[in-house]
Amino acid sequence: MTTAGSKGPLIGQRHVQAVLLFFGIAINYMTKYSASISLVAMTNALTTNPNFPQYDWSETEKSYILSSFFWGYVVTQLPAGYVCKRYGAKATLLAATLGSSLVGLVLPFTLKWGDWQIFCAVRVLQGLLQGFDLAAAYAHLANWCPVKERNRLGALANSGIECGTLLGMLVSGIIATSSLGWPGISYIACAAGIIWCGLWEILGSSTPNTSKLITPEERLYILTSLEKKASEDSEATRKSIPIPWKAILTSPPVWALLVARSSEAWCFSAIQAAIPNYMNGVFAMDMKSNTFYSALPFIVLWIMSYVYLVLADVLLNYKVLTLNGLRKTYNSISFWIPAACLFGLGLLEVQQQVLAAILLIVIVATNAGNMIGSGLNVIDLSPNHTGIVMSLINATATIMPILTPIVASAIVEDNSNYRQWQILFAICGSVYTVGNIIYLISGSTDPQPWNDPDFLLHRSQNDYEPSLDDQPSGSKVAIEINKIGD
């Protein structure tokens, strides 16, 4: 970033959009992952705040509550890309966040009407609404990120995932032990969501062309980087691009990315949901200690996300690694080191509490690089169809958090039995290992030929047959991104 000149001001509107996305993602992930702490508080009120109701839910019932968010989440993944194209990323993200915040607010008032099924119903509705979030966020980033700043701005926005997960673990525990009790988790999350929606409505813009606050220099810099003329970068033009479904669904890099993101979703959701239960069951921690030890790995995760980001900028700027090399190196670190630690965690004895905490920190902290490793790869493959491809990948990946709590409860029937935990950790380590192998073999950072807006037209005229030597050559965007990647 420069202070002035061809790139615009030091803090331009592209940075504002990334920061807004950061907070929006953080708030939604706080809502998504606070349930694991809420459940501990709601089923063991004596260790939090005894002035609020306590519920006697079985491990199976709690697993249904944890997975129910994703029952709704998976349903809206496929239509999310289309909705973003139809109504714009800004409006989609605004409606999803506001709706999710308001739905969460009703939880403390509706539980008296039923039992754990009410909790599940609220979580399903939140999942339905939040299913639009990531597709909208990635589509927004594709419109705003200059090619050379894609890692920087994309990783900044996506670090909201780590921040939100941390807030879901740490702040939720603090709120549950305060005078607000476990209902306060819903109140605080709702208030944060409404405040963010107000800022998003005022400061957010779907594209550089629709922003009233952007300088001409910054607008030109962004559009030039994306190889698009200002007159061609309207929402109407982007909506009119046909979707090459067959090419997308038969693309090896898309399938490799799908496997990598599904592996990540399986393992991260299993670990995130298991940590509070593992600490409480195996090490008999009270709520305050459990909150601290459960949140500690995610504090380090958030810090490490910025370490990975700065290091990525250095490696690319000094041409130590190509973009493809960077993605696969980061993904290998983020998958295989946690896999090794998960296998090691399964070998520990119950009295090795400190070593277990250290391994959990290493597992979660090293995993922070996965977003640069494979998370942002969807934008590399197709800036024009980011929302669509993201919705396909996220739809499949979302099935994993639905299954992991159920599988975990089937394996860990007694949460104080560390032998049962060993089996769960070994499964997660194996999933991480295999997922990265497939990504290394078939993953790619090359923009795909079907990213070209005229791909279907060329294909129908039988004159679009790129060779391996000139691929990707489908569009100016592809050429430019390939140059940067090389």
Side-chain angles (χ1 to χ4, degrees), residues 147-161:
V147 174
K148 291 183 179 180
E149 299 181 22
R150 184 171 292 158
N151 274 335
R152 183 185 307 156
L153 296 179
L156 170 61
N158 277 283
S159 64
I161 294 176

Side-chain angles (χ1 to χ4, degrees), residues 239-251:
K239 292 174 189 175
S240 66
I241 298 175
I243 302 171
W245 288 109
K246 182 179 179 180
I248 292 173
L249 294 174
T250 56
S251 171

Side-chain angles (χ1 to χ4, degrees), residues 14-36:
R14 64 190 185 279
H15 308 113
V16 172
Q17 304 305 309
V19 171
L20 285 170
L21 286 176
F22 165 83
F23 284 109
I25 292 172
I27 290 168
N28 284 316
Y29 267 73
M30 179 179 69
T31 302
K32 181 188 295 187
Y33 287 120
S34 62
S36 58

